[in-house]
Amino acid sequence: MNERRSRLADARQLAGEAHCVERNWMGACPTPQPARVFLKRLLVKSSMFVLRWRSSNLNLIDMIRRRRVIVAVISFCFASSLGGNPALGAEADSFAYDWRIMESCDTMDLFIRDQHVGVLHHTFRADSLKEHIHVQTKITVQGGAKAAGASAMDLTETYCYNLSGELLSAEQELISPAGRTLWELNSDSAGEWVLGVTTGGETKKKNVLEVKDNLRSEYRMRRGIVRRTFEKGDRLRDTVFNMMAGKHTCVVAECIATPEGKEGGRWVFISRDEMLGREERLEMDSAGRPMLQEISPLFVARRRSGSEEHRRHAAAGALSDLFVIRKGLRPKGTTVHVRLDDDIVLDDSVGLFYNATDSGYLLIRLPDSCGEGGGNSGGSAYLGATVTMQVDHPEIARLAQRLKKDMASSCDIVSHFTTYVHTAIEKRNVATFSSALETHRAGFGDCGEHAVLLGALLRAAGIPARVVLGLVYVPEKRGYLYHAWVMALTGEKWVFSDPAMGRFPVAEGLIPLLIDDTGEKAMLLGKMMGRVEIAYK
């Protein structure tokens, strides 16, 4: 354990050194620049009116990491072509690696539909003394706090590899004004992988059967770019373990254009991630420097240009408008019809709310009244603690019992708890996915924080509850925005409660797309963004 912590500490120290050197593939080296970039990471939720995802969340880094093949290309285009160094070489699969050709340090600006939202910083360092490779990505997202220029979210992601390119350990730290979440992936003395998630000061661990994650395919691609042997039509397939999702994903990248000696010519790659099912574009100039990178579903990273004044002005824009699905108010007597792109299917978790049609899914009339009695038959599976709902924590348990008092009706309990969360939690957009305990302690958050806190309190009071992600109709926006709320079992009936908006029971204006009690499935919502159509029939 001490050795693993030492490796990660070394990686953070290397990535945070006072200067970094940016080189192109020919080895040209400009004046060293300060590498003072705060770590951070972008979850789509920071830009939304009320939705807040977690790994959701659609996190930028999360998305980058899930499709590390794109990060691989970034590494390649940030890197320099240096001479061989036996200390940095390694034999694996009968292939000699000189990891120094991948060493890099660069910064790109992040945009959502031409509005600046943050900064991405990436470093790749090979440490010959400790025989380790350190790869770190940092993202800063501005806004979200009351102070002008404050960051809404910080994410640092650090991966350590041996000189054969095999993963040794990994760490992700996500920080916002509402709290801190830490993911740690390590192998124990028996060689078994363990994934730990710490949020609200509580740590949950689970075993991972296998971790398929190495740098070798990325190295071969980088070498092909450096030597100009990579050709149009060449492909790279990579398997990456994503810590936030807790599983592997496969990424395929294809070169669709090469510089070919043309002035202004660019390398162009298209990658596809099986988890998101989207294509992303990466462009580099002829020297191998990154110029543009798409990060699904809405983000674009561009090489720094333009004035700081312009970037600050853009960052202050009303980003919530970028996520609206424009649609008028549903006329009486009509039913909501949801249509998804052809390669997307509705998640099974919300199947009970829809009837499938040839062209999509017809939303069944949702329950808008409580069930009778205090029973909760069939809901025992939704009473336990999760990473985001610390039901068994003393602070949550005490608060639940204080609120419940001697109430026996499940309907009364849900109504009272919904009112408490709505009034006790300040409405503030938060870019990260805070847990119930963090939300309780911080006292603020957006719809996601409201939902996980209400869900945890209800479970602690003996009421089965689940977190729902989907769409809510907002009249002021004249359309639907991504949102999070709760479904609770009252008597024998599941009913929706919206603590962020203080509504219970509620059905009108809600379109459920996903039920996710742990945050591990929320990335599926990112897969749907920009690919959902709403009609009234």
Side-chain angles (χ1 to χ4, degrees):
M1 177 62 72
N2 289 335
E3 180 184 354
R4 290 194 295 268
R5 292 185 183 278
S6 176
R7 287 199 299 262
L8 289 169
D10 292 337
R12 288 192 291 267
Q13 181 179 356
L14 281 169
E17 289 175 346
H19 296 85
C20 69
V21 178
E22 176 189 353
R23 294 185 175 95
N24 62 26
W25 73 275
M26 289 295 292
C29 180
T31 304
Q33 311 170 29
R36 294 167 42 190
V37 179
F38 302 96
L39 50 114
K40 287 59 173 74
R41 131 126 225 248
L42 176 54
L43 296 119
V44 178
K45 100 178 246 203
S46 67
S47 313
M48 313 215 170
F49 179 67
V50 271
L51 170 66
R52 72 136 324 278
W53 308 358
R54 161 196 188 198
S55 132
S56 267
N57 315 175
L58 239 175
N59 313 275
L60 175 58
I61 267 290
D62 184 25
M63 292 185 290
I64 293 176
R65 185 55 192 171
R66 292 176 171 164
R67 303 177 299 288
R68 192 190 64 214
V69 92
I70 281 295
V71 172
V73 180
I74 291 180
S75 298
F76 305 152
C77 48
F78 287 168
S80 60
S81 176
L82 303 179
N85 183 338
L88 293 176
E91 281 293 331
D93 301 331
S94 301
F95 189 88
Y97 295 90
D98 177 12
W99 297 107
R100 286 179 48 177
I101 68 170
M102 294 182 67
E103 288 190 330
S104 63
C105 181
D106 208 306
T107 300
M108 298 182 77
D109 285 313
L110 296 174
F111 296 84
I112 298 178
R113 299 181 188 176
D114 295 325
Q115 293 199 44
H116 184 263
V117 295
V119 178
L120 180 151
H121 182 70
H122 179 81
T123 60
F124 186 110
R125 298 291 180 89
D127 186 344
S128 59
L129 295 178
K130 295 183 178 295
E131 298 186 347
H132 294 151
I133 298 165
H134 309 288
V135 182
Q136 188 172 86
T137 306
K138 304 178 179 181
I139 290 184
T140 300
V141 180
Q142 289 94 4
K146 292 185 176 180
S151 65
M153 180 196 66
D154 295 350
L155 177 94
T156 301
E157 183 177 69
T158 305
Y159 287 77
C160 295
Y161 300 85
N162 62 25
L163 295 186
S164 294
E166 297 288 347
L167 182 66
L168 297 174
S169 59
E171 177 183 293
Q172 287 183 162
E173 184 179 42
L174 185 60
I175 300 175
S176 81
R180 170 181 179 265
T181 303
L182 177 68
W183 291 264
E184 294 178 290
L185 180 66
N186 292 292
S187 58
D188 60 22
S189 56
E192 300 293 328
W193 288 95
V194 178
L195 177 62
V197 182
T198 302
T199 181
E202 300 290 309
T203 301
K204 301 286 185 181
K205 294 184 178 182
K206 68 177 182 179
N207 292 326
V208 179
L209 294 179
E210 185 179 18
V211 174
K212 301 175 182 177
D213 196 318
N214 64 67
L215 294 172
R216 291 195 289 271
S217 59
E218 300 176 21
Y219 178 90
R220 288 178 169 87
M221 187 176 182
R222 169 58 190 163
R223 191 178 66 156
I225 292 175
V226 169
R227 298 183 179 181
R228 297 278 183 127
T229 57
F230 214 83
E231 299 179 352
K232 182 178 178 179
D234 285 350
R235 291 186 175 187
L236 170 70
R237 178 181 295 271
D238 197 11
T239 300
V240 180
F241 184 82
N242 177 264
M243 290 195 288
M244 290 183 177
K247 61 182 180 180
H248 291 91
T249 184
C250 181
V251 184
V252 178
E254 179 179 356
C255 179
I256 64 170
T258 64
E260 298 179 347
K262 301 176 183 178
E263 183 177 355
R266 293 189 176 189
W267 295 92
V268 181
F269 293 86
I270 297 293
S271 72
R272 185 176 179 85
D273 182 330
E274 65 175 12
M275 187 176 294
L276 285 178
R278 294 176 182 266
E279 289 188 346
E280 297 172 327
R281 184 182 185 91
L282 172 71
E283 297 182 6
M284 298 174 286
D285 65 14
S286 60
R289 293 173 298 195
M291 305 303 293
L292 178 146
Q293 179 201 351
E294 296 176 344
I295 304 167
S296 292
L298 296 171
F299 308 109
V300 175
R302 298 192 186 115
R303 192 167 192 83
R304 291 208 128 176
S305 63
S307 68
E308 292 292 335
E309 180 180 358
H310 171 73
R311 284 200 292 269
R312 286 196 299 269
H313 175 73
L319 293 178
S320 62
D321 290 341
L322 302 178
F323 297 87
V324 179
I325 299 177
R326 300 293 179 185
K327 193 69 180 175
L329 184 64
R330 182 178 68 86
K332 291 183 178 181
T334 62
T335 303
V336 172
H337 185 265
V338 179
R339 185 183 182 281
L340 306 175
D341 282 3
D342 293 340
D343 59 338
I344 303 177
V345 296
L346 198 65
D347 191 70
D348 291 341
S349 63
V350 294
L352 72 161
F353 299 123
Y354 293 90
N355 284 328
T357 68
D358 291 339
S359 59
Y361 304 89
L362 202 62
L363 185 64
I364 302 172
R365 187 173 184 273
L366 301 173
D368 56 3
S369 62
C370 280
E372 298 297 330
N376 54 35
S377 175
S380 59
Y382 309 113
L383 290 172
T386 70
V387 171
T388 56
M389 293 188 285
Q390 298 96 335
V391 174
D392 50 2
H393 192 278
E395 292 182 42
I396 297 295
R398 283 195 299 268
L399 177 58
Q401 293 308 309
R402 177 169 64 83
L403 293 173
K404 182 180 179 181
K405 299 179 181 178
D406 57 354
M407 286 186 289
S409 167
S410 57
C411 211
D412 290 344
I413 294 172
V414 178
S415 178
H416 182 54
F417 280 36
T418 300
T419 300
Y420 169 80
V421 173
H422 176 69
T423 56
I425 302 303
E426 179 187 348
K427 311 300 177 285
R428 192 191 305 180
N429 283 342
V430 180
T432 54
F433 188 83
S434 307
S435 68
L437 186 59
E438 287 174 314
T439 302
H440 169 57
R441 290 172 174 173
F444 64 85
D446 54 35
C447 62
E449 279 74 27
H450 284 72
V452 293
L453 178 56
L454 176 59
L457 290 172
L458 290 175
R459 289 188 177 201
I463 305 295
R466 309 195 68 187
V467 175
V468 185
L469 303 180
L471 300 167
V472 61
Y473 188 81
V474 181
E476 311 89 81
K477 299 293 183 179
R478 298 179 182 177
Y480 289 89
L481 290 170
Y482 290 91
H483 193 44
W485 63 94
V486 170
M487 57 185 287
L489 187 58
T490 59
E492 303 297 324
K493 182 192 291 187
W494 287 97
V495 185
F496 289 158
S497 173
D498 187 346
M501 295 187 174
R503 302 186 299 170
F504 172 80
V506 59
E508 186 61 34
L510 295 177
I511 301 178
L513 297 176
L514 184 73
I515 298 175
D516 184 22
D517 302 321
T518 64
E520 292 182 354
K521 294 174 63 178
M523 193 63 187
L524 296 177
L525 194 61
K527 185 176 182 178
M528 297 181 188
M529 291 192 67
R531 307 168 85 176
V532 179
E533 294 181 10
I534 305 297
Y536 302 137
K537 294 187 176 182

